[in-house]
Amino acid sequence: MDLIKLKSTMAELGQPAYRDSQVWQWLAGGGDSFDEMSNLPLELRTKLAEALPISTLEVEASAVSVDGTEKALFMTGDQRPVEAVLMNYRDGRRSLCFSSQSGCPLTCTFCATGSMNFGRNLTESEILDQALHFRRKTEVNHAVFMGMGEPMMNLDNVLAVCERLPDIGIANSHTTISTVGWLPGIETVTTEGPAVRLALSLHAPVDSLRSKIMPVNDRYSIKQVVDACREWRHVRKRKVYIEYLMLDGVNDSEELAHELADLLLPKNDFKVNLIPYNPSGNHYQGSSPEQIELFRGALMKRGIHATVRLTRGRDIDAACGQLAAKAAA
Ligand code: SAH
């Protein structure tokens, strides 16, 4: 729902401001038409239905993985592709993975989104409509900004979305913003916005290697970014998730595990998540499960807590780093 247009339409129709939030509450609860919004006068419902589509996004395609993960490809009104994923876990977690941009300008060398053209930032309503799409089918309770794009380059809209997610069923403590290390964004969320969680896509513990695989590192160095994360941890009182993609022969040696431990110690401000690499149509290979365990073991011995991320939705190109709107290409 285009919330800005909803507001202006209500105003044009001479409606009081609380009508906007009535509509929003229906949508947040999974409503899919004005018809069912029974606390709105019938005549108003008809007028709204004529004036406003229920979503800013058109569903272009969807796919369901053997593990129950569901991916949707949408198009914005100006024909920009957007993808979002819903992961269903046995323990009842239903986690949404949103896109904050159509494409991404940051060109991380291992990421499929980084290799497509950058479109533009998505609006608050376009991000929320990804969530509402899945909310119409099922309850949802977790959200991660790990789809297409860099959320901290679109921070105002991302934070506005975070403010509304609790209405949909997703508490701020169950919402994670994942960043390449966009320094001004990390500094902003340290003191502003709702109390959501922070994840840093680190992927390498030394600048020379990190700059090779993530060009954004030339702009904000590891030290600057990790220091900013420590400050966030100090103010927000939550550990920062460190995401570390396991690339065979690139960043997965035990020596680098020790460099990573040196970087993150002495204080226990972080939780490391080792990510098995998902094939994304480039020259990288994922590390073997044995190598991932060696790396994890080296971290644990140094007192750094590390887990290996469960990969979901690989068969439908819905796993991390695979969102590139292939169907639209
Ligand atoms: N721009 C943000 C959020 C989007 S990417 C960020 O970088 O954090 C979400 C996560 O998926 C990041 O940690 C990213 O590095 C990781 N990723 C990218 N390509 C991947 C791939 N092919 N396999 C596994 N993870 C990947």
Side-chain angles (χ1 to χ4, degrees):
M1 171 68 51
D2 186 331
L3 295 170
I4 294 175
K5 207 160 163 214
L6 174 67
K7 199 171 177 186
S8 60
T9 307
M10 288 290 197
E12 276 162 29
L13 295 171
Q15 293 295 320
Y18 68 81
R19 292 280 183 221
D20 289 22
S21 52
Q22 285 179 320
V23 170
W24 166 250
Q25 289 306 334
W26 278 100
L27 295 169
D32 65 359
S33 71
F34 287 107
D35 235 19
E36 69 196 82
M37 303 183 183
S38 52
N39 51 353
L40 269 61
L42 191 57
E43 195 192 344
L44 176 62
R45 283 183 250 164
T46 312
K47 282 189 181 151
L48 290 172
E50 280 164 14
L52 286 165
I54 211 77
S55 176
T56 56
L57 304 173
E58 291 279 348
V59 182
E60 191 86 0
S62 59
V64 181
S65 160
V66 288
D67 63 27
T69 298
E70 207 176 321
K71 178 172 84 167
L73 167 65
F74 308 94
M75 283 291 169
T76 62
D78 60 348
Q79 301 302 304
R80 308 283 185 182
V82 176
E83 286 182 309
V85 177
L86 173 70
M87 290 157 285
N88 297 299
Y89 295 90
R90 287 217 185 95
D91 63 4
R93 243 182 328 145
R94 287 174 196 281
S95 188
L96 283 172
C97 178
F98 296 125
S99 295
S100 53
Q101 301 180 313
S102 175
C104 182
L106 291 178
T107 65
C108 297
T109 55
F110 45 79
C111 178
T113 309
S115 67
M116 66 186 277
N117 286 338
F118 174 59
R120 61 168 171 79
N121 279 344
L122 299 177
T123 64
E124 174 191 355
S125 298
E126 287 165 344
I127 302 172
L128 282 169
D129 277 329
Q130 299 168 49
L132 295 179
H133 167 78
F134 290 107
R135 179 66 190 89
R136 288 194 274 274
K137 302 169 179 230
T138 180
E139 293 192 354
V140 288
N141 48 37
H142 284 70
V144 291
F145 283 89
M146 292 190 192
M148 293 174 167
E150 168 51 42
M152 293 213 172
M153 295 178 87
N154 187 15
L155 196 53
D156 288 350
N157 288 335
V158 165
L159 292 179
V161 168
C162 292
E163 302 260 9
R164 285 185 185 264
L165 286 180
D167 296 336
I168 299 179
I170 305 168
N172 286 153
S173 58
H174 289 169
T175 301
T176 302
I177 299 180
S178 178
T179 178
V180 294
W182 195 256
L183 193 62
I186 299 173
E187 288 169 353
T188 301
V189 298
T190 301
T191 51
E192 288 172 34
V196 296
R197 300 191 172 228
L198 177 65
L200 170 65
S201 295
L202 186 63
H203 308 325
V206 289
D207 281 315
S208 52
L209 176 59
R210 192 167 190 265
S211 288
K212 252 189 232 159
I213 62 176
M214 301 178 72
V216 68
N217 193 71
D218 287 335
R219 184 154 180 172
Y220 305 117
S221 72
I222 293 178
K223 183 172 181 340
Q224 284 176 298
V225 170
V226 168
D227 282 351
C229 287
R230 286 204 162 96
E231 179 60 16
W232 182 91
R233 150 78 169 148
H234 177 70
V235 172
R236 294 290 190 169
K237 313 271 183 266
R238 300 253 189 215
K239 289 192 180 178
V240 177
Y241 299 113
I242 297 288
E243 293 170 277
Y244 196 99
L245 194 53
M246 296 298 290
L247 299 170
D248 183 39
V250 176
N251 64 353
D252 63 348
S253 68
E254 282 186 78
E255 196 187 332
L256 286 173
H258 285 286
E259 296 268 9
L260 179 59
D262 290 343
L263 176 70
L264 302 182
L265 289 170
K267 277 183 66 194
N268 205 6
D269 291 332
F270 304 97
K271 274 189 198 166
V272 176
N273 219 325
L274 301 176
I275 313 177
Y277 182 62
N278 297 304
S280 302
N282 52 42
H283 65 280
Y284 292 107
Q285 303 280 329
S287 310
S288 66
E290 297 75 32
Q291 191 59 34
I292 296 178
E293 268 318 303
L294 281 177
F295 195 93
R296 193 175 84 89
L299 290 175
M300 298 291 278
K301 257 186 240 152
R302 296 282 306 273
I304 306 266
H305 186 73
T307 51
V308 180
R309 177 180 291 164
L310 201 64
T311 291
R312 310 276 304 196
R314 221 184 235 191
D315 56 326
I316 53 165
D317 285 347
C320 272
Q322 292 189 318
L323 300 187
K326 268 192 209 163

